[in-house]
Amino acid sequence: MWLDELRLWIRNYPRNVKPAARRRKMNRRLYVEALENRLCLSAFNAATTAALIADIHSANTNGAAANTINLTGSGPYSLTAVNNNTNGPNGLPVIGSTVASTLTINGNGDIIENGSGLAMRFFEIAPGSGGSLVLKNIELQGGLVAGSGTSAEGGAIFNNGTLNVDGGVQLFENKAMGTGSSVGYGNSAAGGGIYSTAGSTLKFNGNNLIE
């Protein structure tokens, strides 16, 4: 009988179970590593007029320190509508980046032309460090501005910032016309090819032709 009691006692004897080891809590902290400042460069290949317009918009807003648009189509790039009237009618978006930036347009010998018969120039360059344009190996043909004030200045290009004409650039048959007057005389006009405002920068490099 005492063996039965011993068996019951052994079965009910409290065992000291070793507590499970607690997992160590690791104090993990997130760190943000500061990266060095780097200049971003962007390049675009524009095969059509629509692509050229879209690429200028992108260059104005992508925050890159330098952008290049290569004209890769068979051309000519024909402008058929006024894009904006910032300082007169412009066929292309105003060159004016949101950051200090330079846009280079490499024409590869191609032509941008006014194909609308409307009064409009090709390029306007905004003031400030974001308004900087370099033109290479390109022809601008048939630009026209007419009216008074800035609307009659710069038949092909109205420069209010920085413009570098960097070789192989040809401007043909671009006109600035002063029209209308209360006394019967036309208003003054200036810069059939390029008009640069006071305080802007205009540089010529290499061989270029303006007629």
Side-chain angles (χ1 to χ4, degrees):
M1 185 169 183
W2 63 271
L3 290 175
D4 294 335
E5 292 179 356
L6 179 61
R7 292 191 187 98
L8 292 174
W9 183 83
I10 292 174
R11 291 177 182 173
N12 295 326
Y13 183 79
R15 298 178 180 179
N16 293 327
V17 180
K18 188 176 182 180
R22 297 181 180 178
R23 295 180 180 177
R24 294 181 180 179
K25 294 183 179 179
M26 300 198 56
N27 295 325
R28 296 181 178 178
R29 296 181 181 179
L30 298 178
Y31 295 92
V32 177
E33 182 180 356
L35 300 178
E36 61 186 276
N37 292 327
R38 296 181 181 179
L39 299 179
C40 297
L41 307 177
S42 293
F44 306 89
N45 294 320
T48 65
T49 303
L52 173 59
I53 293 172
D55 289 346
I56 293 175
H57 278 301
S58 296
N60 282 340
T61 58
N62 65 5
N67 292 276
T68 298
I69 299 176
N70 300 301
L71 302 190
T72 57
S74 58
Y77 291 70
S78 184
L79 303 179
T80 58
V82 173
N83 181 272
N84 64 86
N85 286 281
T86 304
N87 280 295
N90 300 304
L92 295 168
V94 175
I95 308 300
S97 174
T98 55
V99 299
S101 181
T102 297
L103 171 61
T104 299
I105 296 183
N106 183 8
N108 291 311
D110 226 322
I111 300 171
I112 302 178
E113 66 177 11
N114 181 350
S116 68
L118 301 173
M120 62 176 169
R121 65 172 71 94
F122 302 103
F123 294 105
E124 177 177 335
I125 305 162
S129 58
S132 181
L133 176 64
V134 178
L135 292 178
K136 295 182 177 181
N137 198 20
I138 192 170
E139 180 179 326
L140 306 179
Q141 181 175 311
L144 171 65
V145 291
S148 62
T150 57
S151 293
E153 295 173 340
I157 304 172
F158 182 87
N159 177 31
N160 208 15
T162 300
L163 172 62
N164 287 340
V165 181
D166 202 22
V169 177
Q170 302 180 62
L171 276 61
F172 285 134
E173 299 179 349
N174 302 286
K175 300 177 182 178
M177 300 172 57
T179 62
S181 173
S182 60
V183 295
Y185 298 99
N187 293 304
S188 61
I194 300 173
Y195 181 83
S196 284
T197 63
S200 63
T201 300
L202 173 60
K203 295 180 180 180
F204 287 91
N205 301 306
N207 296 319
N208 305 284
L209 178 61
I210 299 177
E211 288 188 351

